[in-house]
Structure formats: C-alpha cells, structure tokens
Amino acid sequence: MANVLIVAEQFGGAVRKATLHALSAGREVARRTGGTLHVAVLGSGIGPVAEELAGYGAEVHAADAAVLEHPLAEAHAPVVAELARAVQATHVGAAATAFGKDLLPRVAGLLEAAMATEVLGFGGEGAEVTFRRPMWAGNVLAEVALATPVKVFTVRATEFPAAAKEGKGAVTTAQVSVDAGALRTRYAGFTEVKSARPELTEARIVVAGGRGTKGDFKPIEALADELNAAVGASRAAVDAGWVPNDWQVGQTGKVVAPELYVAAGISGAIQHLAGMKGSKVIVAVNKDPDAPIFQLADYGLVADLFKALPELAEKLKKSR
Ligand SMILES: Cc1cc2nc3c(=O)[nH]c(=O)nc-3n(C[C@H](O)[C@H](O)[C@H](O)COP(=O)(O)OP(=O)(O)OC[C@H]3O[C@@H](n4cnc5c(N)ncnc54)[C@H](O)[C@@H]3O)c2cc1C
C-alpha cells in the first residue's frame, strides 16, 4: 500500500496554519499513489488537536505522552518513524517550518529514506511522484526523483492551499516507546516574542524595510499598523542589529507569500526575493529607479520612504 503520512505541528493546543498547507500537499500525493492520507500529531494533552485534525478527513494518529510535550526532534522522530512503518507509508511529509526542518531529516534517517526539502510542487507520472524544489536561492527549480522505497519531504507552505474541512477521519492512539532518560537533548526553554501584529509567515499583508531605513523602522511600523500587517526586514537591516532576526525575509530568513508585500528601502537582491517573490501583489518604494526590486514589483514608487510611507499611512487613516 502506498499511504501518505503527514506530521502535524501543534502549539499550545492549536494546529499550526502551515500544517493545513502540508495536508493539501499530502492529499495530492495520496490521490496520485491511490493510498490513504494519515496524520501524526505528537505532544502532551493533544486530544482536542487530534479531533480538530480529524475534521480534515484524514486518519489521525495521536501520540500523547509527557516525553513528547516539547518539540524535541530526538524524542519525536522514532515515534513518527514507527508510525510510518505501522501505516505502511511510502511518503512522509511535513511543512518546511523550523519544526519540520528539525524533525523530518531524523525521520528520514531512521527510515533509511531519501528526502526532498522545501518542495514547491509534484511532478512525474501517476504514482511515480517527483518533487519540485528550489536551488540556488530559487534561481533553479530542480525536479527530484527519490529512489528509496520510503520518501520523506517537507513542503513550502506558501505553495499549497490550506486544506479545507472534509468529512471526519478516525482518531487512533499511536504507540510511544521513547525512554525519556536516554535522550541526549534536553528542553531548555522557549521564549515567545509577544506581538500585537500578525505572525510574519501567516499575515495577509507584510510591510518590510531594508538598509534604506538607515535603522529607523518607525515609518515601516506605522504603515504596518495602519494595514494590520506584519513587519519584515532584509538581512542588511537584521545584520545591522536594527531589528530582530525573526523579522528577516529571504533565503536565510522566512519565506512569505502574503496578498500584499510592501518593500521599502530594499534593493531586491536575489536572496531577499527568494523569500517573498510568491507574494500576490508586490509594492516597492525605493529612491533608486534602477533598483532591481522594480523588475519584480507590481507597483513601484520612486520616492523617499521617509516621505512616501507616512503620506500613505495618513491617507489610509483618513480613508477610514
Ligand atoms: C548566502 C546569503 C544569504 C542571504 N540571505 C538573505 C536573506 O535571507 N534576506 C535578505 O534580505 N538578504 C539576504 N542576503 C543578503 C542580500 O544579498 C543583500 O545584501 C540584502 O538583501 C540587501 O538588503 P537591502 O536591500 O536592505 O540593502 P541594499 O541592497 O543596500 O539596498 C538598500 C536600498 O534602499 C534604497 N534606499 C536608500 N535610502 C532610501 C530612502 N530614503 N527611501 C527609499 N529607498 C531608499 C537604496 O536605493 C537601495 O536600493 C543573503 C546573502 C547571502 C550571500
């Protein structure tokens, strides 16, 4: 049987949005292989999350144990691998989030499976699924065939629609035989950055600033708040220490695909574009008419951001 197992990500009793996109990808693979879509959810006290996931029509396997309370890849990987064998999964996937990127390589190792990361789509014929993935900061798209019996993959959430509620799958209890005392990694703590703004990868609108801000992100933040947007940044702004590094968008930062991306004082280096070129509408504000960002932008404004952004924010405020 060529079943598909998607590993769900949950936090504080809620399913992470990226998981719904991974479920769509999993459903597509299951349709191709003719197999059943299974979902693994791991944690402690995750009954309600498992029930919620069952609403997406997949067979849900809940691994509920104290040792799985925190997302330690070393503890989670053997549970996922065992489950993959139990449900005869030929394809094991997850969203390419920090959680998925940490966990799935270990799962692939345990299953002696080849792996494709940051998958953007599937190719091949019938059940012979191949994986489309970016290389060289997205300048090359490779189509990869994995030759092992079990194939492991992470998907870029922005490339797949969120799964819709569909029927009601069964929820079963998954085996957990992890010896907490034998683990060599230890959970040290979690520092959550509390923000009134939406999360960068989940926001409908992102307003991002670069070196052109010269370290003054006030106009960026004011416009973001007017639009109920998340704030992003180029690596130049992060490396200069002007903004926290979890704001970074790009090849080595976060990949976003909001409905609207406003890039102000950002030149448009390929490494930055790799993280936002999937955005539906791109607006660039830059003093330099030759800035490469204008080649990608749907709307370009050759202007000083310190003048244009406050004007824009003011107009938005008045239009309410
Ligand atoms: C391996 C690797 C990985 C990388 N990963 C990333 C990544 O994840 N994300 C990322 O962003 N970069 C990444 N980079 C860095 C990338 O190559 C660029 O150096 C960086 O994106 C430049 O940031 P910037 O556009 O803010 O700065 P610059 O390229 O210096 O551009 C600043 C822009 O601001 C404009 N400007 C100046 N003043 C104003 C003003 N008052 N009003 C309007 N416009 C103004 C200028 O005309 C200019 O176009 C990576 C590089 C490497 C080598």
Side-chain angles (χ1 to χ4, degrees):
M1 249 193 293
N3 293 328
V4 179
L5 177 66
I6 294 295
V7 185
E9 183 174 347
Q10 57 86 25
F11 183 74
V15 177
R16 287 281 199 190
K17 202 174 150 231
T19 291
L20 303 186
H21 298 262
L23 278 179
S24 282
R27 198 172 272 165
E28 193 176 330
V29 177
R31 190 177 45 74
R32 293 273 303 273
T33 63
T36 303
L37 178 61
H38 295 264
V39 177
V41 57
L42 295 81
S44 178
I46 48 161
V49 183
E51 284 301 328
E52 187 190 338
L53 283 164
Y56 292 91
E59 304 290 310
V60 178
H61 305 267
D64 204 330
V67 68
L68 302 175
E69 182 184 357
H70 303 298
L72 278 185
E74 192 191 353
H76 284 221
V79 179
V80 175
E82 202 166 315
L83 188 58
R85 288 190 201 103
V87 303
Q88 295 179 287
T90 52
H91 294 78
V92 181
T97 55
F99 170 81
K101 289 184 201 175
D102 187 26
L103 177 60
L104 276 263
R106 279 179 183 265
V107 172
L110 293 171
L111 294 172
E112 296 188 358
M115 178 168 181
T117 58
E118 303 268 345
V119 169
L120 310 174
F122 304 107
E125 295 280 312
E128 290 305 315
V129 179
T130 56
F131 304 85
R132 238 183 340 268
R133 60 181 303 270
M135 293 168 71
W136 301 101
N139 281 334
V140 174
L141 289 185
E143 188 146 339
V144 186
L146 303 181
T148 47
V150 178
K151 297 145 191 22
V152 172
F153 61 98
T154 57
V155 297
R156 206 173 258 186
T158 53
E159 300 296 319
F160 296 88
K165 294 258 179 186
E166 195 176 288
K168 184 92 178 133
V171 177
T172 52
T173 305
Q175 284 300 319
V176 181
S177 47
V178 178
D179 175 4
L183 295 178
R184 285 162 300 172
T185 41
R186 187 175 54 82
Y187 179 79
F190 178 73
T191 312
E192 192 175 10
V193 182
K194 290 259 185 224
S195 168
R197 298 198 183 106
E199 213 274 311
L200 188 52
T201 53
E202 303 193 351
R204 273 185 58 244
I205 305 177
V206 174
V207 181
R211 202 186 327 253
T213 62
K214 297 176 184 68
D216 180 2
F217 261 61
K218 279 200 281 304
I220 308 281
E221 296 191 50
L223 180 62
D225 291 340
E226 207 50 59
L227 290 165
N228 189 27
V231 177
S234 71
R235 178 159 157 183
V238 171
D239 283 354
W242 297 337
V243 292
N245 63 5
D246 60 346
W247 287 12
Q248 185 177 319
V249 172
Q251 184 191 336
T252 41
K254 290 183 174 157
V255 177
V256 300
E259 283 168 33
L260 173 64
Y261 188 90
V262 182
I266 292 178
S267 60
I270 52 163
Q271 295 90 353
H272 186 79
L273 304 187
M276 45 62 80
K277 66 181 173 195
S279 307
K280 302 228 168 30
V281 176
I282 296 170
V283 173
V285 182
N286 198 302
K287 273 202 315 202
D288 175 7
D290 296 322
I293 189 88
F294 287 128
Q295 288 167 25
L296 184 75
D298 299 286
Y299 299 93
L301 189 60
V302 180
D304 184 333
L305 72 91
F306 291 102
K307 194 166 176 297
L309 263 46
E311 274 178 26
L312 214 57
E314 191 55 35
K315 288 216 161 87
L316 282 165
K317 192 177 269 170
K318 283 203 178 121
S319 70
R320 283 234 184 87

